[in-house]
Amino acid sequence: MASIDNMLAALKRERAGYVSRGLDDRVAQVDEEIARLRGDDSPETEEPQGRTATPPQQTADQGTPPTKKTAAKKASATPPAPPTE
């Protein structure tokens, strides 16, 4: 069974993900669970410890579908010799 400290750390990471996506109702639910585990009624507001969450970076061409790259056919420098009889 996981220790309370491990569960709290996991809940803090989960909460940070909800905050970054703007899911306020889920943040409130996680805050309630953190308070329940701690045995207090104050909501948790600190950032998660351990792993750091970074938002995905957007690129300039985001939204355009990737194009297929085709391999160029290799042309031999000398044509093959004709068959001999």
Side-chain angles (χ1 to χ4, degrees):
M1 188 159 137
S3 73
I4 291 178
D5 290 336
N6 288 342
M7 291 189 307
L8 286 171
L11 284 168
K12 289 177 185 180
R13 288 190 299 270
E14 181 181 358
R15 183 185 188 281
Y18 293 140
V19 168
S20 69
R21 290 183 282 166
L23 301 173
D24 296 333
D25 58 328
R26 292 295 293 147
V27 171
Q29 290 175 340
V30 173
D31 284 343
E32 289 173 11
E33 184 63 16
I34 289 172
R36 186 187 70 78
L37 285 174
R38 289 180 144 192
D40 62 18
D41 296 328
S42 62
E44 180 65 40
T45 58
E46 64 185 61
E47 292 299 314
Q49 296 175 352
R51 300 179 191 167
T52 57
T54 56
Q57 296 181 355
Q58 294 183 353
T59 59
D61 63 344
Q62 193 171 16
T64 57
T67 58
K68 285 188 177 180
K69 293 182 179 179
T70 56
K73 292 183 180 179
K74 291 185 179 180
S76 76
T78 57
T84 57
E85 291 183 30

